Amino acid sequence: MAEEKTFPMTLEGKQKLEQELEDLKLKRRPEVIKRIKIARSYGDLSENSEYESAKDEQAFVESRISQIENMLQYAEIIDNEDVDKDEVSMGRKVTIQELPNEEPESYQIVGESESDPFAGKISNESPMAKGLLGHKVGEEVEIEIPNGTMKVKILSVE
């Protein structure tokens, strides 16, 4: 039997997923059911765009509920207690500077389920995170990225 995939995440990320799941089950699902009921009352379903729209939304909501339940069932909370304070690891925020003299950038390395590059949260599966994980403050690291190699210096880890 195949081994189930785990979903590494921070405690904060798990709590966000639990909140989203609660919202989907207690608010969005009942709203969609109500929309379907109203749309059905309009009669002929074959040309009823409101009904089709509500059914599409229902499929999305149910799919997302299933996806979140699976992620929560196989969630693996990131624990950095045994990792040096100056080592890049999941859940930590790392500030790097692309060499020779770019502006410093900060990223938090998180599991793919809570990744949000626009909020500075990158997936542990990304080339950037893979290249940084396990390295320490002060190290210069060459990272393989899709369009070549970049050299960065690790300035800090929080």
Side-chain angles (χ1 to χ4, degrees):
M1 192 162 150
E3 187 176 312
E4 292 293 336
K5 179 180 180 181
T6 61
F7 295 92
M9 61 183 72
T10 62
L11 185 57
E12 174 189 345
K14 183 179 184 213
Q15 291 168 341
K16 278 181 141 176
L17 281 176
E18 289 169 339
Q19 183 62 46
E20 182 182 352
L21 181 61
E22 184 178 323
D23 183 61
L24 287 168
K25 285 182 168 182
L26 299 178
K27 292 180 185 166
R28 294 245 345 245
R29 182 188 269 166
E31 288 170 2
V32 172
I33 291 170
K34 185 177 179 183
R35 283 184 49 214
I36 290 171
K37 196 176 199 179
I38 292 169
R40 276 190 179 149
S41 72
Y42 296 153
D44 184 12
L45 299 181
S46 65
E47 296 181 20
N48 188 329
S49 63
E50 289 88 359
Y51 178 77
E52 288 301 317
S53 172
K55 289 299 281 184
D56 288 346
E57 186 176 351
Q58 182 183 39
F60 170 78
V61 167
E62 294 304 325
S63 172
R64 183 66 180 150
I65 286 172
S66 177
Q67 181 183 35
I68 293 173
E69 286 176 339
N70 185 54
M71 286 190 289
L72 289 173
Q73 180 178 357
Y74 297 103
E76 184 179 301
I77 303 301
I78 300 163
D79 180 15
N80 289 321
E81 292 302 313
D82 298 333
V83 180
D84 289 343
K85 298 292 183 204
D86 65 343
E87 183 177 325
V88 179
S89 64
M90 283 191 55
R92 294 204 172 142
K93 185 175 182 178
V94 59
T95 301
I96 60 169
Q97 179 181 22
E98 187 176 349
L99 299 174
N101 56 3
E102 295 291 322
E103 289 294 314
E105 299 175 6
S106 295
Y107 302 101
Q108 182 181 15
I109 300 175
V110 296
E112 64 183 320
S113 63
E114 56 184 314
S115 152
D116 182 358
F118 296 110
K121 294 182 176 189
I122 60 172
S123 166
N124 64 310
E125 298 292 324
S126 71
M128 176 74 79
K130 284 181 177 179
L132 293 171
L133 288 168
H135 291 281
K136 296 187 177 198
V137 172
E139 286 186 38
E140 292 183 4
V141 182
E142 285 194 13
I143 300 173
E144 292 295 322
I145 55 174
N147 60 348
T149 304
M150 70 186 290
K151 190 171 185 176
V152 300
K153 182 173 184 173
I154 301 171
L155 302 177
S156 68
V157 175
E158 301 172 34

